[in-house]
Amino acid sequence: MKDTYPQKDINQQTYKIQNGELSSRTEHDMLLDTRLLSLSRELLPQYGGNWNFHNMVTLKQKALSRIIYYHELYQKILDVPGVICEFGVQWGASLALLQNFRGMYEPHNVSRTIFGFDTFEGFSTVDSKDGGFAEIGDYSSLPNYEDTLDEILSIHEGLHAINHIKKFELIKGDASRTIDAWLENNPHAIVSMAIFDMDVYKPTKDVLEKIMPRLVKGSLLVFDELNCPQLPGETIAVQEVLGLNNIKLKRHPLQSYCAWGVFGE
Ligand SMILES: C[S@@+](CC[C@H](N)C(=O)[O-])C[C@H]1O[C@@H](n2cnc3c(N)ncnc32)[C@H](O)[C@@H]1O
């Protein structure tokens, strides 16, 4: 089982897929990364009360790009009713971003519940359509990590307005299955934004098919691994369910394999 992301040697170079981006990191990059991590560990306990702000001194371009990308996505759903569903949460970085953007841009919108679906045990299925790169268990986090993430998200929520109403939920399990109970338990739910970041074919196809009746014209569909040679399953799922000819997909200059489209356009 791989560590937290798939990695393989291609042409004697190590390529890694991290946050949907294929990157070739040199020895030099890795040395700098390791040094930044040890500086970060050294400094964190010494920042004092404003530790979270000062911690930005070690924030790298890649993480910042992700924040900007998610920020722009969030702007696109401000006038679209409905909940947000992220399929593929892992450590919860993007879920926490979404929660913070809700706190900033629509603190009084109690209807914008954010749902995060994950096995929290990595890939539970890998199909032949996934191209041979993905393996069962890839992208696992920690045992019972959903409890830690629930606490982190509760803390974020506690720092925002109307914090006595819980506006997020983590749904553990294979999303191909958990989506059925979620649809049944949430008959009111319109999906304003569905983020697909499970990387693999089967759950992406199953979930996309099943949530389709809950989309409105204007709902945002976000895909994290489109046109990705190492993980073709997500593209194949979109092709089989929506048809690549039928949705106008756009990419963002800061993200290689991410694409988004407005349903009905
Ligand atoms: C690339 S990570 C998600 C990263 C996250 N969106 C972020 O930006 O930080 C992929 C996640 O999809 C989850 N996943 C893969 N197959 C799944 C399935 N069938 N059901 C639920 N989650 C699944 C994995 O457990 C993993 O945590």
Side-chain angles (χ1 to χ4, degrees):
M1 187 179 78
K2 289 156 201 150
D3 192 4
T4 51
Y5 43 76
Q7 69 180 58
K8 265 192 183 169
D9 279 350
I10 303 170
N11 300 331
Q12 294 171 325
Q13 266 189 301
T14 302
Y15 286 81
K16 294 180 180 178
I17 298 175
Q18 225 173 354
N19 293 334
E21 198 165 352
L22 182 71
S23 66
S24 161
R25 296 206 300 168
T26 62
E27 285 287 314
H28 172 78
D29 296 340
M30 286 193 238
L31 271 176
L32 291 182
D33 191 70
T34 306
R35 181 66 188 134
L36 199 58
L37 176 62
S38 65
L39 282 167
S40 187
R41 284 183 173 143
E42 214 175 285
L43 288 168
L44 185 61
Q46 303 182 66
Y47 287 142
N50 221 358
W51 61 272
N52 200 239
F53 181 89
H54 297 312
N55 206 29
M56 276 197 292
V57 71
T58 54
L59 187 72
K60 293 191 295 176
Q61 183 180 311
K62 189 163 181 157
L64 183 55
S65 297
R66 191 75 169 170
I67 296 171
I68 293 170
Y69 173 59
Y70 267 75
H71 180 258
E72 291 182 21
L73 292 176
Y74 205 99
Q75 304 305 306
K76 296 178 199 304
I77 58 148
L78 285 174
D79 62 356
V80 183
V83 303
I84 296 174
C85 293
E86 184 182 53
F87 301 98
V89 167
Q90 205 191 12
W91 299 101
S94 41
L95 217 51
L97 287 179
L98 294 165
Q99 206 188 23
N100 277 304
F101 294 138
R102 182 186 55 202
M104 290 173 207
Y105 291 105
E106 38 181 15
H108 301 289
N109 183 1
V110 291
S111 76
R112 189 77 80 195
T113 309
I114 300 174
F115 294 93
F117 295 76
D118 207 297
T119 59
F120 294 103
E121 291 169 1
F123 298 158
S124 55
T125 58
V126 175
D127 192 276
S128 57
K129 292 183 180 174
D130 289 312
F133 206 89
E135 286 175 18
I136 302 278
D138 284 351
Y139 287 96
S140 55
S141 47
L142 291 172
N144 303 318
Y145 180 68
E146 63 280 6
D147 296 337
T148 307
L149 181 58
D150 199 282
E151 184 181 357
I152 293 170
L153 298 176
S154 298
I155 292 170
H156 283 305
E157 193 158 77
L159 296 168
H160 299 158
I162 319 189
N163 51 35
H164 59 287
I165 298 177
K166 190 176 181 201
K167 297 180 291 299
F168 76 90
E169 193 183 330
L170 297 176
I171 293 126
K172 182 174 169 137
D174 179 351
S176 288
R177 299 200 187 110
T178 56
I179 191 63
D180 296 319
W182 181 82
L183 287 166
E184 208 176 307
N185 296 338
N186 294 277
H188 65 285
I190 290 171
V191 179
S192 63
M193 172 155 68
I195 300 169
F196 292 88
D197 194 7
M198 295 182 286
D199 301 351
V200 286
Y201 168 75
K202 190 172 184 314
T204 307
K205 180 171 180 178
D206 291 342
V207 171
L208 191 51
E209 270 172 353
K210 289 176 180 177
I211 63 159
M212 196 98 84
R214 300 294 184 91
L215 302 176
V216 293
K217 285 184 182 174
S219 293
L220 211 63
L221 291 173
V222 181
F223 302 100
D224 216 70
E225 260 74 38
L226 270 200
N227 192 41
C228 180
Q230 280 70 29
L231 293 164
E234 197 172 291
T235 308
I236 297 170
V238 175
Q239 190 179 342
E240 290 181 2
V241 180
L242 295 173
L244 291 172
N245 302 148
N246 296 329
I247 182 158
K248 188 172 172 180
L249 290 169
K250 297 193 176 172
R251 68 173 295 273
H252 191 278
L254 300 181
Q255 301 285 306
S256 292
Y257 292 116
C258 300
W260 57 271
V262 178
F263 187 71
E265 275 187 10

